[in-house]
Amino acid sequence: MGRVVAAAVYAKGRKVTDITLDEGLQWASKPGHFVWIGLHDPGAEELSNLQRQFDLHELALEDALTRHTRPKLETFGDALFLVVYSPIEENGELQFIETQLFTGKGYIISARYGESAPYSRVRQRCEARPLLLEHGEDFVLYALLSFVLENYRPLMDRFHAELEEIEQHVLERPLSQSDVERIHCLRRDLLRLRRYIGPMGEICEELQRLDFPFIDKQMRPYFRDIAIHVKRLLEDLTGLREMADHAIEIGLLLESSRQSVVQRKFAAWAAILAFPTAVAGIYGMNFQYMPELTWHYGYFGVLGLVATGCTGLYASFKYYGWL
């Protein structure tokens, strides 16, 4: 069973009075008045009541009872039905809370499903700006859409800080499995954010073109402002995805560089050890005529040759940075 968070009637930019859900139609019918109703997890009973009062289209009601997968805008005669999403983090998981908006001449209804940021702050802001609230339903619609977009910014700022930390972390030590898993989760969340932010720009562009009795032409620049904010959010999302890709790329390049250094060191030591091995192999062939075998200082001469050769190879590899 849902509940009515707030329901009030407004006229000339001022709140007239709080109302019950059943009083909406009689107030909305008065010239210069509009009602603003906020619902939390409404059921079929509350929505059917509103349908009878405000003559909501049956397809709008059917659509409202169906959960959606992305933001959308539908027109039903002179009324609008919108679906938008607010992001929240719950137990470290990114989730999106659906809000449905019904708006027409004399009314605007918001139905929130889940525990997203409450819209009471939007109501307080609007009531504190009576000159703009005097525009009526279209200004409230703008304020609600703007508030939804505001909820994305802190999340994206946190993602940006986390990716910067990961980039610094990658420069200091090799990528671990947990690092790769975290970057993968961030990239997945960024793709989900794009899925829910992108259609908001289309919705605002459509609101600028629609010719509805309750949408004042003077309010169209406000919807254009939201479209601009959506564009900026999408650009920031692209930058964040590039940061995530660069973090993985930098990690792989550094790991390849570290492996190359190790391989060079192994190759250098193998070459140094190969020299005494080659000398020992020569004198282990048991040829009969080897003058060095009968020389009194032959043993010490061979050891000196081995030491000199190994020292020369070590110095050479050290000079070229292989050791």
Side-chain angles (χ1 to χ4, degrees):
M1 187 70 175
R3 62 187 177 90
V4 179
V5 178
V9 58
Y10 298 85
K12 297 181 180 180
R14 302 289 181 180
K15 178 178 177 181
V16 177
T17 183
D18 292 319
I19 61 174
T20 64
L21 199 61
D22 296 326
E23 298 175 318
L25 178 59
Q26 67 184 68
W27 283 103
S29 302
K30 294 184 177 182
H33 292 67
F34 76 94
V35 296
W36 181 1
I37 299 173
L39 304 174
H40 187 203
D41 291 325
E45 181 179 348
E46 290 88 355
L47 293 177
S48 297
N49 184 2
L50 294 173
Q51 181 191 25
R52 289 191 298 270
Q53 291 191 67
F54 300 105
D55 194 26
L56 302 180
H57 199 281
E58 58 181 355
L59 293 179
L61 182 63
E62 181 181 341
D63 216 6
L65 295 174
T66 305
R67 292 302 177 91
H68 306 83
T69 58
R70 58 180 298 174
K72 60 182 292 186
L73 167 65
E74 298 285 351
T75 60
F76 299 98
D78 288 339
L80 295 177
F81 173 71
L82 294 90
V83 178
V84 293
Y85 290 84
S86 296
I88 64 169
E89 281 192 293
E90 187 172 321
N91 299 324
E93 292 291 331
L94 180 61
Q95 298 183 16
F96 294 87
I97 304 302
E98 180 176 335
T99 297
Q100 299 170 354
L101 302 175
F102 303 85
T103 182
K105 184 62 176 177
Y107 68 91
I108 182 164
I109 304 165
S110 65
R112 175 167 56 99
Y113 296 87
E115 299 300 329
S116 67
Y119 292 97
S120 57
R121 283 182 282 174
V122 183
R123 194 178 292 267
Q124 293 170 0
R125 291 180 189 175
C126 290
E127 291 176 354
R129 306 172 71 183
L131 291 179
L132 290 174
L133 186 57
E134 191 174 355
H135 285 280
E137 309 90 324
D138 49 1
F139 175 70
V140 176
L141 178 60
Y142 156 76
L144 289 169
L145 294 176
S146 180
F147 180 72
V148 169
L149 284 180
E150 288 177 11
N151 293 326
Y152 285 90
R153 176 54 61 186
L155 189 65
M156 293 179 61
D157 289 342
R158 189 186 65 76
F159 282 172
H160 185 272
E162 188 168 355
L163 284 170
E164 283 188 334
E165 182 180 350
I166 290 175
E167 282 187 338
Q168 186 62 36
H169 182 69
V170 166
L171 294 173
E172 295 173 355
R173 70 175 181 82
L175 276 174
S176 63
Q177 181 177 348
S178 61
D179 295 331
V180 175
E181 291 175 353
R182 184 55 190 152
I183 294 174
H184 171 71
C185 290
L186 286 172
R187 293 181 77 253
R188 181 190 60 192
D189 288 342
L190 292 174
L191 286 173
R192 295 178 65 199
L193 285 172
R194 176 176 287 275
R195 177 183 179 86
Y196 288 101
I197 293 176
M200 293 286 290
E202 301 172 7
I203 290 174
C204 292
E205 290 177 0
E206 188 70 16
L207 289 173
Q208 295 177 58
R209 293 192 296 265
L210 290 174
D211 187 14
F212 277 81
F214 62 90
I215 296 183
D216 193 337
K217 291 184 178 180
Q218 296 178 359
M219 286 301 300
R220 292 183 179 180
Y222 289 85
F223 294 118
R224 183 166 61 248
D225 179 68
I226 296 179
I228 292 173
H229 283 292
V230 171
K231 182 178 179 181
R232 290 174 181 170
L233 286 174
L234 291 175
E235 291 174 352
D236 292 343
L237 276 175
T238 301
L240 290 175
R241 288 193 61 195
E242 290 178 353
M243 287 181 66
D245 293 339
H246 289 165
I248 295 179
E249 183 179 351
I250 291 172
L252 293 176
L253 289 174
L254 290 176
E255 185 63 24
S256 176
S257 177
R258 294 185 186 103
Q259 291 180 359
S260 177
V261 171
V262 172
Q263 290 173 354
R264 288 200 300 267
K265 289 183 177 180
F266 276 125
W269 283 113
I272 293 172
L273 293 175
F275 182 75
T277 302
V279 173
I282 293 174
Y283 286 97
M285 292 186 293
N286 296 321
F287 285 111
Q288 182 177 1
Y289 299 104
M290 298 182 72
E292 300 89 340
L293 297 179
T294 58
W295 182 36
H296 183 70
Y297 297 103
Y299 172 73
F300 300 101
V302 171
L303 289 181
L305 175 64
V306 170
T308 303
C310 290
T311 302
L313 288 172
Y314 178 84
S316 177
F317 285 129
K318 192 73 172 178
Y319 176 78
Y320 288 107
W322 282 47
L323 287 174

PDB file of all heavy atoms in Angstrom, residues 265-287:
ATOM      1  N   LYS A 265      67.281  -9.196 -17.383  1.00  0.00           N
ATOM      2  CA  LYS A 265      68.185  -9.614 -16.307  1.00  0.00           C
ATOM      3  C   LYS A 265      68.490 -11.114 -16.395  1.00  0.00           C
ATOM      4  O   LYS A 265      69.650 -11.535 -16.228  1.00  0.00           O
ATOM      5  CB  LYS A 265      67.577  -9.283 -14.951  1.00  0.00           C
ATOM      6  CG  LYS A 265      67.546  -7.789 -14.642  1.00  0.00           C
ATOM      7  CD  LYS A 265      67.004  -7.513 -13.249  1.00  0.00           C
ATOM      8  CE  LYS A 265      67.046  -6.022 -12.939  1.00  0.00           C
ATOM      9  NZ  LYS A 265      66.528  -5.722 -11.570  1.00  0.00           N
ATOM     10  N   PHE A 266      67.444 -11.897 -16.657  1.00  0.00           N
ATOM     11  CA  PHE A 266      67.662 -13.337 -16.810  1.00  0.00           C
ATOM     12  C   PHE A 266      68.595 -13.618 -17.989  1.00  0.00           C
ATOM     13  O   PHE A 266      69.495 -14.475 -17.908  1.00  0.00           O
ATOM     14  CB  PHE A 266      66.333 -14.062 -17.023  1.00  0.00           C
ATOM     15  CG  PHE A 266      65.612 -14.388 -15.754  1.00  0.00           C
ATOM     16  CD1 PHE A 266      64.313 -13.976 -15.550  1.00  0.00           C
ATOM     17  CD2 PHE A 266      66.239 -15.133 -14.749  1.00  0.00           C
ATOM     18  CE1 PHE A 266      63.656 -14.272 -14.370  1.00  0.00           C
ATOM     19  CE2 PHE A 266      65.572 -15.437 -13.572  1.00  0.00           C
ATOM     20  CZ  PHE A 266      64.274 -15.012 -13.378  1.00  0.00           C
ATOM     21  N   ALA A 267      68.389 -12.897 -19.091  1.00  0.00           N
ATOM     22  CA  ALA A 267      69.225 -13.099 -20.276  1.00  0.00           C
ATOM     23  C   ALA A 267      70.673 -12.709 -19.987  1.00  0.00           C
ATOM     24  O   ALA A 267      71.623 -13.394 -20.428  1.00  0.00           O
ATOM     25  CB  ALA A 267      68.677 -12.285 -21.450  1.00  0.00           C
ATOM     26  N   ALA A 268      70.864 -11.592 -19.244  1.00  0.00           N
ATOM     27  CA  ALA A 268      72.225 -11.159 -18.925  1.00  0.00           C
ATOM     28  C   ALA A 268      72.942 -12.181 -18.056  1.00  0.00           C
ATOM     29  O   ALA A 268      74.105 -12.543 -18.315  1.00  0.00           O
ATOM     30  CB  ALA A 268      72.170  -9.802 -18.223  1.00  0.00           C
ATOM     31  N   TRP A 269      72.268 -12.652 -16.996  1.00  0.00           N
ATOM     32  CA  TRP A 269      72.914 -13.653 -16.128  1.00  0.00           C
ATOM     33  C   TRP A 269      73.148 -14.968 -16.870  1.00  0.00           C
ATOM     34  O   TRP A 269      74.152 -15.650 -16.621  1.00  0.00           O
ATOM     35  CB  TRP A 269      72.055 -13.896 -14.891  1.00  0.00           C
ATOM     36  CG  TRP A 269      72.165 -12.803 -13.869  1.00  0.00           C
ATOM     37  CD1 TRP A 269      71.216 -11.921 -13.479  1.00  0.00           C
ATOM     38  CD2 TRP A 269      73.331 -12.479 -13.112  1.00  0.00           C
ATOM     39  NE1 TRP A 269      71.690 -11.054 -12.535  1.00  0.00           N
ATOM     40  CE2 TRP A 269      73.000 -11.386 -12.281  1.00  0.00           C
ATOM     41  CE3 TRP A 269      74.633 -12.999 -13.061  1.00  0.00           C
ATOM     42  CZ2 TRP A 269      73.911 -10.806 -11.408  1.00  0.00           C
ATOM     43  CZ3 TRP A 269      75.541 -12.414 -12.186  1.00  0.00           C
ATOM     44  CH2 TRP A 269      75.188 -11.338 -11.374  1.00  0.00           C
ATOM     45  N   ALA A 270      72.222 -15.315 -17.784  1.00  0.00           N
ATOM     46  CA  ALA A 270      72.430 -16.531 -18.572  1.00  0.00           C
ATOM     47  C   ALA A 270      73.674 -16.400 -19.454  1.00  0.00           C
ATOM     48  O   ALA A 270      74.456 -17.363 -19.614  1.00  0.00           O
ATOM     49  CB  ALA A 270      71.200 -16.805 -19.436  1.00  0.00           C
ATOM     50  N   ALA A 271      73.873 -15.204 -20.037  1.00  0.00           N
ATOM     51  CA  ALA A 271      75.069 -14.993 -20.868  1.00  0.00           C
ATOM     52  C   ALA A 271      76.337 -15.055 -20.028  1.00  0.00           C
ATOM     53  O   ALA A 271      77.359 -15.618 -20.454  1.00  0.00           O
ATOM     54  CB  ALA A 271      74.954 -13.646 -21.577  1.00  0.00           C
ATOM     55  N   ILE A 272      76.306 -14.473 -18.802  1.00  0.00           N
ATOM     56  CA  ILE A 272      77.487 -14.507 -17.930  1.00  0.00           C
ATOM     57  C   ILE A 272      77.824 -15.946 -17.535  1.00  0.00           C
ATOM     58  O   ILE A 272      79.001 -16.364 -17.555  1.00  0.00           O
ATOM     59  CB  ILE A 272      77.246 -13.638 -16.687  1.00  0.00           C
ATOM     60  CG1 ILE A 272      77.156 -12.156 -17.085  1.00  0.00           C
ATOM     61  CG2 ILE A 272      78.347 -13.844 -15.655  1.00  0.00           C
ATOM     62  CD1 ILE A 272      76.736 -11.242 -15.947  1.00  0.00           C
ATOM     63  N   LEU A 273      76.796 -16.713 -17.193  1.00  0.00           N
ATOM     64  CA  LEU A 273      77.029 -18.102 -16.798  1.00  0.00           C
ATOM     65  C   LEU A 273      77.415 -18.977 -17.991  1.00  0.00           C
ATOM     66  O   LEU A 273      78.058 -20.021 -17.821  1.00  0.00           O
ATOM     67  CB  LEU A 273      75.769 -18.671 -16.127  1.00  0.00           C
ATOM     68  CG  LEU A 273      75.396 -18.049 -14.782  1.00  0.00           C
ATOM     69  CD1 LEU A 273      74.072 -18.610 -14.289  1.00  0.00           C
ATOM     70  CD2 LEU A 273      76.494 -18.303 -13.744  1.00  0.00           C
ATOM     71  N   ALA A 274      77.019 -18.558 -19.181  1.00  0.00           N
ATOM     72  CA  ALA A 274      77.360 -19.357 -20.362  1.00  0.00           C
ATOM     73  C   ALA A 274      78.856 -19.333 -20.654  1.00  0.00           C
ATOM     74  O   ALA A 274      79.403 -20.306 -21.211  1.00  0.00           O
ATOM     75  CB  ALA A 274      76.587 -18.833 -21.568  1.00  0.00           C
ATOM     76  N   PHE A 275      79.532 -18.245 -20.292  1.00  0.00           N
ATOM     77  CA  PHE A 275      80.974 -18.148 -20.591  1.00  0.00           C
ATOM     78  C   PHE A 275      81.788 -19.209 -19.837  1.00  0.00           C
ATOM     79  O   PHE A 275      82.538 -19.973 -20.470  1.00  0.00           O
ATOM     80  CB  PHE A 275      81.483 -16.743 -20.265  1.00  0.00           C
ATOM     81  CG  PHE A 275      82.924 -16.541 -20.593  1.00  0.00           C
ATOM     82  CD1 PHE A 275      83.342 -16.376 -21.910  1.00  0.00           C
ATOM     83  CD2 PHE A 275      83.891 -16.533 -19.589  1.00  0.00           C
ATOM     84  CE1 PHE A 275      84.678 -16.193 -22.209  1.00  0.00           C
ATOM     85  CE2 PHE A 275      85.220 -16.360 -19.891  1.00  0.00           C
ATOM     86  CZ  PHE A 275      85.631 -16.177 -21.204  1.00  0.00           C
ATOM     87  N   PRO A 276      81.691 -19.320 -18.495  1.00  0.00           N
ATOM     88  CA  PRO A 276      82.440 -20.377 -17.827  1.00  0.00           C
ATOM     89  C   PRO A 276      81.978 -21.768 -18.232  1.00  0.00           C
ATOM     90  O   PRO A 276      82.773 -22.719 -18.248  1.00  0.00           O
ATOM     91  CB  PRO A 276      82.188 -20.125 -16.341  1.00  0.00           C
ATOM     92  CG  PRO A 276      80.967 -19.300 -16.286  1.00  0.00           C
ATOM     93  CD  PRO A 276      80.976 -18.479 -17.518  1.00  0.00           C
ATOM     94  N   THR A 277      80.724 -21.893 -18.592  1.00  0.00           N
ATOM     95  CA  THR A 277      80.219 -23.192 -19.047  1.00  0.00           C
ATOM     96  C   THR A 277      80.905 -23.598 -20.346  1.00  0.00           C
ATOM     97  O   THR A 277      81.278 -24.765 -20.551  1.00  0.00           O
ATOM     98  CB  THR A 277      78.696 -23.135 -19.238  1.00  0.00           C
ATOM     99  OG1 THR A 277      78.066 -22.765 -18.012  1.00  0.00           O
ATOM    100  CG2 THR A 277      78.149 -24.479 -19.687  1.00  0.00           C
ATOM    101  N   ALA A 278      81.052 -22.603 -21.257  1.00  0.00           N
ATOM    102  CA  ALA A 278      81.708 -22.890 -22.533  1.00  0.00           C
ATOM    103  C   ALA A 278      83.170 -23.266 -22.320  1.00  0.00           C
ATOM    104  O   ALA A 278      83.685 -24.215 -22.938  1.00  0.00           O
ATOM    105  CB  ALA A 278      81.598 -21.671 -23.449  1.00  0.00           C
ATOM    106  N   VAL A 279      83.860 -22.534 -21.407  1.00  0.00           N
ATOM    107  CA  VAL A 279      85.273 -22.854 -21.139  1.00  0.00           C
ATOM    108  C   VAL A 279      85.400 -24.243 -20.527  1.00  0.00           C
ATOM    109  O   VAL A 279      86.261 -25.051 -20.929  1.00  0.00           O
ATOM    110  CB  VAL A 279      85.887 -21.793 -20.207  1.00  0.00           C
ATOM    111  CG1 VAL A 279      87.307 -22.206 -19.793  1.00  0.00           C
ATOM    112  CG2 VAL A 279      85.921 -20.436 -20.908  1.00  0.00           C
ATOM    113  N   ALA A 280      84.510 -24.554 -19.565  1.00  0.00           N
ATOM    114  CA  ALA A 280      84.557 -25.877 -18.940  1.00  0.00           C
ATOM    115  C   ALA A 280      84.248 -26.966 -19.952  1.00  0.00           C
ATOM    116  O   ALA A 280      84.829 -28.056 -19.904  1.00  0.00           O
ATOM    117  CB  ALA A 280      83.559 -25.926 -17.778  1.00  0.00           C
ATOM    118  N   GLY A 281      83.364 -26.665 -20.914  1.00  0.00           N
ATOM    119  CA  GLY A 281      83.037 -27.654 -21.938  1.00  0.00           C
ATOM    120  C   GLY A 281      84.211 -27.937 -22.844  1.00  0.00           C
ATOM    121  O   GLY A 281      84.428 -29.081 -23.269  1.00  0.00           O
ATOM    122  N   ILE A 282      84.975 -26.873 -23.157  1.00  0.00           N
ATOM    123  CA  ILE A 282      86.148 -27.070 -24.024  1.00  0.00           C
ATOM    124  C   ILE A 282      87.163 -27.991 -23.357  1.00  0.00           C
ATOM    125  O   ILE A 282      87.687 -28.928 -23.977  1.00  0.00           O
ATOM    126  CB  ILE A 282      86.780 -25.718 -24.375  1.00  0.00           C
ATOM    127  CG1 ILE A 282      85.827 -24.911 -25.272  1.00  0.00           C
ATOM    128  CG2 ILE A 282      88.131 -25.910 -25.047  1.00  0.00           C
ATOM    129  CD1 ILE A 282      86.301 -23.508 -25.547  1.00  0.00           C
ATOM    130  N   TYR A 283      87.449 -27.716 -22.064  1.00  0.00           N
ATOM    131  CA  TYR A 283      88.464 -28.512 -21.386  1.00  0.00           C
ATOM    132  C   TYR A 283      87.922 -29.836 -20.861  1.00  0.00           C
ATOM    133  O   TYR A 283      88.662 -30.626 -20.264  1.00  0.00           O
ATOM    134  CB  TYR A 283      89.078 -27.707 -20.233  1.00  0.00           C
ATOM    135  CG  TYR A 283      90.001 -26.629 -20.735  1.00  0.00           C
ATOM    136  CD1 TYR A 283      89.557 -25.321 -20.880  1.00  0.00           C
ATOM    137  CD2 TYR A 283      91.313 -26.944 -21.105  1.00  0.00           C
ATOM    138  CE1 TYR A 283      90.382 -24.328 -21.364  1.00  0.00           C
ATOM    139  CE2 TYR A 283      92.143 -25.953 -21.587  1.00  0.00           C
ATOM    140  CZ  TYR A 283      91.687 -24.655 -21.715  1.00  0.00           C
ATOM    141  OH  TYR A 283      92.515 -23.678 -22.208  1.00  0.00           O
ATOM    142  N   GLY A 284      86.650 -30.067 -21.119  1.00  0.00           N
ATOM    143  CA  GLY A 284      86.104 -31.364 -20.730  1.00  0.00           C
ATOM    144  C   GLY A 284      85.975 -32.317 -21.887  1.00  0.00           C
ATOM    145  O   GLY A 284      85.376 -33.386 -21.757  1.00  0.00           O
ATOM    146  N   MET A 285      86.579 -31.962 -23.060  1.00  0.00           N
ATOM    147  CA  MET A 285      86.439 -32.826 -24.232  1.00  0.00           C
ATOM    148  C   MET A 285      87.499 -33.924 -24.292  1.00  0.00           C
ATOM    149  O   MET A 285      87.495 -34.749 -25.203  1.00  0.00           O
ATOM    150  CB  MET A 285      86.499 -31.967 -25.500  1.00  0.00           C
ATOM    151  CG  MET A 285      85.293 -31.054 -25.670  1.00  0.00           C
ATOM    152  SD  MET A 285      85.245 -30.156 -27.231  1.00  0.00           S
ATOM    153  CE  MET A 285      86.639 -29.066 -27.029  1.00  0.00           C
ATOM    154  N   ASN A 286      88.488 -33.905 -23.365  1.00  0.00           N
ATOM    155  CA  ASN A 286      89.470 -34.985 -23.233  1.00  0.00           C
ATOM    156  C   ASN A 286      90.328 -35.198 -24.482  1.00  0.00           C
ATOM    157  O   ASN A 286      90.636 -36.324 -24.874  1.00  0.00           O
ATOM    158  CB  ASN A 286      88.777 -36.312 -22.883  1.00  0.00           C
ATOM    159  CG  ASN A 286      88.106 -36.249 -21.534  1.00  0.00           C
ATOM    160  OD1 ASN A 286      88.640 -35.661 -20.591  1.00  0.00           O
ATOM    161  ND2 ASN A 286      86.923 -36.866 -21.418  1.00  0.00           N
ATOM    162  N   PHE A 287      90.681 -34.103 -25.144  1.00  0.00           N
ATOM    163  CA  PHE A 287      91.643 -34.232 -26.240  1.00  0.00           C
ATOM    164  C   PHE A 287      93.028 -34.558 -25.665  1.00  0.00           C
ATOM    165  O   PHE A 287      93.397 -34.125 -24.574  1.00  0.00           O
ATOM    166  CB  PHE A 287      91.708 -32.938 -27.061  1.00  0.00           C
ATOM    167  CG  PHE A 287      90.505 -32.751 -27.963  1.00  0.00           C
ATOM    168  CD1 PHE A 287      89.585 -31.750 -27.715  1.00  0.00           C
ATOM    169  CD2 PHE A 287      90.315 -33.587 -29.069  1.00  0.00           C
ATOM    170  CE1 PHE A 287      88.490 -31.573 -28.533  1.00  0.00           C
ATOM    171  CE2 PHE A 287      89.216 -33.412 -29.886  1.00  0.00           C
ATOM    172  CZ  PHE A 287      88.292 -32.404 -29.625  1.00  0.00           C
TER     173      PHE A 287
END
